[in-house]
Amino acid sequence: MQYFGKIILLVCDGMADRQVKELGDKTPLEYAETPNMDELAEKGVTGLMDPIAPGVPPSSDTAHLAIFGYDPEKEYPGRGLFEAAGYGYKISDDEVAFRCNFSTVRKRDNELIVVDRRAGRISGDEAEALAKELQKIDEIDGVKVRFVHTLEHRGFLILKGEGLSANITDSDPHEVGAPVLESVPLESAVDFEAVQKTAQIVNKFVLQTFSVLNTHPINVERIKHGKLPANIVLPRGAGKRIKLENFEERWGMKPACVAAGPLYRGVAFELGFKLIDVEGATGLPNTNIKGKFEAAVNALENYDFVFIHIKGTDTLSHSKDAKGKAEMISRIDNALPIIMDTIKEGATFVLTADHTTPCSIGIHSGDPVPLLITGPNIRRDFVKNFDEISVVRGGLHRIRGKELMNILLDMTHRAPEYGLRPSPKHVRYLPKIWNALKLNE
Ligand code: ZN
Ligand code: ZN
């Protein structure tokens, strides 16, 4: 029982779905070949989980925060902070970070209309050269400005100065054919002066990127070759540092993260997870699943809680590729025996998704996700298949994302009896119980 008390959490991003016509009215998870997931369902306990709340479509970062036992209502710094962290940029207290896209817009009267949110998926040297040009915008209204290109058409923007706020709306309308939006204060914002100031700077930045990029020789050349020009940068998801308690402090477990997607690495990094790199882990459907699972198993040696993230299932859902999604789920299933060996040795394993991304609509929805927990201290239910429909009859019934950590603490005997409160921190190892359980093996 060398892994007793250790936890592996596998989150397949956007894996949950609805019935799809072309899959014979099954969900991709029902349709996929998943003998291992089914075996785990049979041995474990299952149910549904609303990552945030019933009917609320979660973003990936808020869903992960909730699953890690944080309250996105009160403990959400904004996505920009996580994205920047995912690229290794730890923003300081006086900075606001935004995710950005190079986009294509055309002028219509006084408006800029979005033609393509990804500027024909511009990437490589061209994007890098345009980013360099934008780095000449280094100050607006006394605030330091820095634009950094990351992957493909993406980048982030950092504003640095006194009295800035992240409580502002996106410039990106998230929709083709819609006008670029003026950033304004969020309705909930109370830091009024800072919000006004920050929104104004963002609006100026967006217009400046258009004037720098629209006639840039690279874009002139792109148009000549029938490509879309990257003639604007659209910021979204403002984020600013807030006090986020360390995962280990909160839950008494040393955490590690096996993920390639920058957002997930960023969330984990900000909560104090050790980031583990894996060769061939891409954050894309072609990722090295086996390599990730092996790395996670190795990490159990030194860490108590190992989080594995697989992004491809969500990516295929956004491109409405139900067959591809089902295939990817089968590939994940095929690699599961690597993890299943640790369960035999006492590890607790959790399999779930961070939200539903129905292939029929290609965006996140508020449907609950299937959840499976298996390990040495489980009260089994009758469910023998792991999919959205079968787990409706599961013993966990329907929980919220933020309740998962408590259940895991209990299942690994880390939770003291309610009311006893043996220490100011409600989470502590209970070695006596552990030893007793081990003796019974
Ligand atoms: Zn997600
Ligand atoms: Zn998604």
Side-chain angles (χ1 to χ4, degrees):
M1 297 299 275
Q2 59 166 326
Y3 297 122
F4 199 84
K6 305 264 179 172
I7 299 172
I8 294 183
L9 164 69
L10 171 57
V11 178
C12 300
D13 208 294
M15 174 168 67
D17 211 304
R18 296 173 181 162
Q19 280 89 357
V20 183
K21 253 211 180 99
E22 62 160 314
L23 302 183
D25 229 14
K26 288 180 172 172
T27 70
L29 188 53
E30 280 182 294
Y31 180 87
E33 249 341 276
T34 55
N36 294 313
M37 290 183 192
D38 294 341
E39 186 186 325
L40 291 171
E42 188 167 358
K43 288 180 177 161
V45 62
T46 62
L48 286 171
M49 178 169 75
D50 290 292
I52 306 293
V56 177
S59 63
S60 284
D61 53 352
T62 52
H64 277 81
L65 273 181
I67 289 169
F68 294 145
Y70 291 75
D71 184 353
E73 251 325 282
K74 300 188 189 102
E75 301 178 286
Y76 183 50
R79 184 151 173 165
L81 176 116
F82 294 136
E83 289 276 344
Y87 288 107
Y89 192 94
K90 201 169 164 66
I91 74 164
S92 52
D93 288 343
D94 63 346
E95 291 177 322
V96 179
F98 303 77
R99 314 166 69 198
C100 295
N101 272 8
F102 276 113
S103 304
T104 308
V105 291
R106 66 180 162 79
K107 259 190 137 162
R108 190 182 69 191
D109 303 327
N110 279 334
E111 289 182 325
L112 294 169
I113 307 296
V114 174
V115 176
D116 184 5
R117 287 186 63 236
R118 301 177 182 90
R121 292 205 174 259
I122 188 171
S123 62
D125 293 345
E126 282 185 328
E128 202 50 54
L130 292 180
K132 255 210 174 113
E133 209 62 50
L134 291 178
Q135 278 152 13
K136 290 178 187 161
I137 311 171
D138 58 358
E139 191 246 277
I140 299 173
D141 295 351
V143 163
K144 275 193 187 157
V145 176
R146 184 171 159 208
F147 175 76
V148 182
H149 170 240
T150 52
L151 292 172
E152 300 168 321
H153 54 277
R154 302 185 195 93
F156 59 89
L157 165 71
I158 292 169
L159 305 180
K160 185 181 180 68
E162 287 306 309
L164 296 176
S165 167
N167 297 320
I168 58 170
T169 61
D170 298 346
S171 309
D172 185 344
H174 299 263
E175 208 184 318
V176 170
V180 171
L181 299 171
E182 188 185 345
S183 177
V184 294
L186 286 178
E187 267 173 36
S188 56
V190 285
D191 44 348
F192 208 66
E193 222 169 279
V195 192
Q196 289 285 16
K197 174 177 168 180
T198 315
Q200 211 164 66
I201 293 170
V202 169
N203 293 330
K204 285 183 181 172
F205 172 78
V206 170
L207 290 179
Q208 286 188 28
T209 66
F210 180 69
S211 65
V212 169
L213 298 175
N214 196 35
T215 53
H216 191 279
I218 289 179
N219 280 328
V220 174
E221 202 56 28
R222 280 178 71 82
I223 293 169
K224 245 195 233 165
H225 290 88
K227 291 183 192 164
L228 291 168
N231 60 1
I232 200 162
V233 167
L234 297 179
R236 64 188 196 276
K240 196 169 195 294
R241 184 161 298 287
I242 58 167
K243 212 186 142 22
L244 271 176
E245 192 182 22
N246 216 285
F247 183 92
E248 186 175 354
E249 266 168 43
R250 181 165 293 193
W251 302 117
M253 292 185 272
K254 262 177 94 171
C257 158
V258 180
L263 177 65
Y264 313 92
R265 290 171 70 86
V267 173
F269 178 79
E270 288 290 341
L271 300 182
F273 283 58
K274 161 80 181 167
L275 300 183
I276 292 167
D277 294 312
V278 176
E279 230 188 277
T282 54
L284 301 169
N286 69 2
T287 196
N288 177 5
I289 300 171
K290 286 190 173 155
K292 287 173 101 164
F293 287 2
E294 277 159 8
V297 170
N298 289 336
L300 286 182
E301 206 64 52
N302 296 311
Y303 298 90
D304 307 305
F305 183 94
V306 180
F307 156 60
I308 312 168
H309 180 264
I310 298 207
K311 179 69 186 168
T313 35
D314 187 55
T315 312
L316 292 162
S317 314
H318 283 293
S319 34
K320 303 185 177 179
D321 180 1
K323 275 238 162 86
K325 183 174 181 178
E327 261 163 48
M328 171 122 204
I329 293 170
S330 295
R331 266 188 288 133
I332 296 168
D333 187 88
N334 193 260
L336 273 179
I338 299 169
I339 293 174
M340 287 159 85
D341 284 344
T342 69
I343 304 168
K344 286 178 201 139
E345 288 293 315
T348 294
F349 175 64
V350 188
L351 172 60
T352 191
D354 58 340
H355 47 76
T356 298
T357 313
C359 288
S360 52
I361 54 173
I363 53 171
H364 301 184
S365 76
D367 304 70
V369 301
L371 168 68
L372 150 68
I373 308 176
T374 185
N377 309 314
I378 301 297
R379 190 167 67 193
R380 283 191 308 277
D381 56 28
F382 297 127
V383 175
K384 292 183 168 50
N385 294 295
F386 184 67
D387 59 67
E388 300 87 337
I389 317 306
S390 302
V391 303
V392 168
R393 298 188 305 267
L396 290 167
H397 299 280
R398 187 163 175 168
I399 66 160
R400 299 230 180 158
K402 65 179 178 189
E403 292 165 338
L404 178 63
M405 284 306 298
N406 272 338
I407 293 171
L408 295 179
L409 291 182
D410 180 50
M411 283 179 177
T412 54
H413 294 285
R414 287 182 166 91
E417 199 172 302
Y418 186 77
L420 290 186
R421 303 276 154 181
S423 76
K425 283 273 166 195
H426 61 291
V427 180
R428 284 291 177 263
Y429 287 85
L430 299 175
K432 269 188 195 163
I433 299 180
W434 279 34
N435 288 334
L437 283 164
K438 279 186 207 179
L439 287 176
N440 288 341
E441 278 304 313

